[in-house]
Amino acid sequence: MIFAYAPVSSQIEGDLYALITTISTVVYLIIMRSTQGRNAASFLVCAGIMIAAFALYKGARPLSVPGNHLVYALVLGGIVVPGAYLCISKAPAYIPAAQTNLILLLEILLGPLFVYLILGDKPSDNDLIGGALVLFTLILHTLWELRLNRQQPAQHSTAQHSRSKA
């Protein structure tokens, strides 16, 4: 869906950054799964420093933000995003990394919806199709997991019953 248009060079660059971000998030979730969320804060701090250095390299001027917007940026960057990522980093200890990533993809669905509800900006057809694909995939995955969980206890009890007869 991302490449369903004829992008200009700046859009290609943005799409490549989005792809790098997605791959980085997957790697982060896999690391969190293998370490069971230990040292999550140190991973976040290192990632934040690398992102800040890259943003400064690309020309970001963080002190040029107006005062009231700076407060919003500090709350978002200092509380909301780190808090969300700390919660996300603990999730793979309890559910598979793939399922965590599917839940994260709900942002693709909810982001345009909230923009539409709050700002009145109508989402594009690609946004709607992409969001529907993510939602459909998440529903199918959840139903598949439920089906597997129902079958496993039945198979387990059948195996125990046959062992008790022997």
Side-chain angles (χ1 to χ4, degrees):
M1 295 311 308
I2 292 174
F3 298 106
Y5 58 91
V8 295
S9 64
S10 64
Q11 289 173 325
I12 291 173
E13 183 180 7
D15 289 342
L16 288 175
Y17 290 146
L19 183 62
I20 290 168
T21 301
T22 302
I23 292 169
S24 300
T25 301
V26 169
V27 169
Y28 172 75
L29 290 173
I30 290 169
I31 290 171
M32 287 298 105
R33 178 72 176 173
S34 66
T35 63
Q36 305 213 343
R38 290 185 298 273
N39 301 324
S42 60
F43 286 122
L44 286 175
V45 169
C46 290
I49 291 170
M50 289 176 9
I51 291 168
F54 182 73
L56 289 172
Y57 169 75
K58 290 300 280 183
R61 290 187 305 262
L63 298 178
S64 66
V65 176
N68 58 342
H69 292 176
L70 188 59
V71 171
Y72 294 132
L74 288 174
V75 168
L76 182 66
I79 298 171
V80 175
V81 172
Y85 264 92
L86 283 174
C87 290
I88 290 166
S89 67
K90 295 298 182 184
Y94 303 102
I95 61 175
Q99 193 170 3
T100 304
N101 206 24
L102 280 175
I103 293 169
L104 286 174
L105 289 175
L106 281 175
E107 190 262 335
I108 293 171
L109 175 69
L110 298 177
L113 176 66
F114 287 140
V115 169
Y116 173 70
L117 291 174
I118 295 169
L119 301 177
D121 187 14
K122 185 178 182 284
S124 72
D125 291 340
N126 284 349
D127 290 339
L128 295 174
I129 292 169
L133 282 172
V134 168
L135 185 60
F136 181 69
T137 304
L138 188 57
I139 289 169
L140 281 180
H141 185 269
T142 302
L143 292 174
W144 181 258
E145 289 286 321
L146 287 172
R147 182 174 178 224
L148 288 177
N149 288 340
R150 286 183 188 151
Q151 287 178 350
Q152 287 176 349
Q155 291 171 353
H156 183 68
S157 63
T158 304
Q160 283 183 342
H161 181 70
S162 64
R163 276 188 258 151
S164 64
K165 285 184 175 182

